[in-house]
Amino acid sequence: MEAHGRTSTRRALLRSGAYLATAATGLTATAATATAAHADDRRRRRAAAYPPTHWIPASSSNYRVSSRPTSYPIDFIVIHVTQETFPDAMKIFQDPAKQVSTHYMVASADGYIGQFVREKDVAWHAGNKDYNNRGIGIEHEGWVDDPKWFTDEMYASSAALASAVCDRFGIPKTRDHIIGHVEVPGADHTDPGPLWDWDRYMSLVNEASAPRTWRR
């Protein structure tokens, strides 16, 4: 995602769990309309041990409806950093003029996961049509030059999600298939940046392969 200016109040907003809860609650009516369509997808994913996710739909103008993996194989996970707080990034994904989205976004403070686009659909996150078609985008709240945003909770939650996505689609849990936005051919972004701990993240992704039960 493109960098935008920070404000002095953003970290306070981040640390307020009540803010995210309020934002999600405000979308209840919209989410309810998507529940029936989303139910089959959730049932198929149970066996893949997904961590809890929360459906916060992006604007339908910001992604392309598809039928993956039938229409395109899903071969990659692309790791991003928002250069925004969670609430501000959420507003961007819901603004039809922005023409950008992601499948998932992970909050810094507690590892909360919002899902904005269904996995079967093509989110516009990679800046490369082929990688959009074949990838799952995971955004992470924070800034590439400030490692304080990359919390234990964020790493653990994102790694569990990435591991489950890999299990569902048969994606190898390697750096050839779990890549940074900066590694997408033709990308003009630097995220997740040099402060993202890839060794730690990949270790957590592979540790998450061990059998466990998530509360949904």
Side-chain angles (χ1 to χ4, degrees):
M1 180 179 293
E2 294 289 350
H4 295 266
R6 309 186 202 188
T7 69
S8 61
T9 60
R10 283 180 170 174
R11 190 175 295 276
L13 287 175
L14 163 72
R15 300 303 171 189
S16 171
Y19 186 94
L20 289 180
T22 300
T25 300
L27 293 164
T28 299
T30 303
T33 65
T35 297
H38 204 51
D40 287 344
D41 188 49
R42 290 200 307 268
R43 283 193 290 271
R44 286 194 298 271
R45 294 189 308 176
R46 286 191 184 116
Y50 277 61
T53 62
H54 303 84
W55 179 235
I56 310 173
S59 167
S60 60
S61 297
N62 292 342
Y63 65 91
R64 188 170 79 252
V65 173
S66 186
S67 56
R68 303 186 310 167
T70 302
S71 53
Y72 306 99
I74 297 178
D75 299 324
F76 300 100
I77 293 174
V78 182
I79 301 299
H80 303 263
V81 172
T82 60
Q83 301 294 96
E84 294 283 358
T85 63
F86 191 112
D88 286 348
M90 179 176 69
K91 291 175 185 176
I92 290 171
F93 300 144
Q94 294 176 324
D95 182 343
K98 295 299 186 181
Q99 299 289 284
V100 65
S101 61
T102 190
H103 292 95
Y104 297 99
M105 180 164 57
V106 185
S108 172
D110 57 5
Y112 173 102
I113 302 172
Q115 182 175 2
F116 295 83
V117 176
R118 286 191 282 171
E119 291 173 347
K120 77 175 190 67
D121 296 330
V122 176
W124 297 338
H125 60 97
N128 176 307
K129 184 176 180 180
D130 182 47
Y131 279 68
N132 281 341
N133 287 341
R134 299 191 293 135
I136 296 288
I138 303 179
E139 288 275 1
H140 298 82
E141 179 181 36
W143 280 265
V144 297
D145 60 352
D146 188 351
K148 292 190 295 294
W149 292 84
F150 304 153
T151 62
D152 293 345
E153 293 81 4
M154 171 181 279
Y155 275 119
S157 185
S158 176
L161 173 62
S163 182
V165 170
C166 287
D167 288 344
R168 182 180 182 195
F169 295 106
I171 302 170
K173 297 176 184 179
T174 67
R175 284 284 285 113
D176 289 334
H177 293 268
I178 301 176
I179 64 174
H181 193 179
V182 67
E183 297 170 294
V184 173
D188 60 357
H189 292 250
T190 63
D191 56 313
L195 301 179
W196 180 262
D197 191 338
W198 277 110
D199 289 342
R200 177 184 184 188
Y201 187 70
M202 294 304 299
S203 178
L204 288 169
V205 169
N206 282 281
E207 287 173 8
S209 301
R212 63 177 69 192
T213 301
W214 290 98
R215 298 176 66 183
R216 295 190 62 81

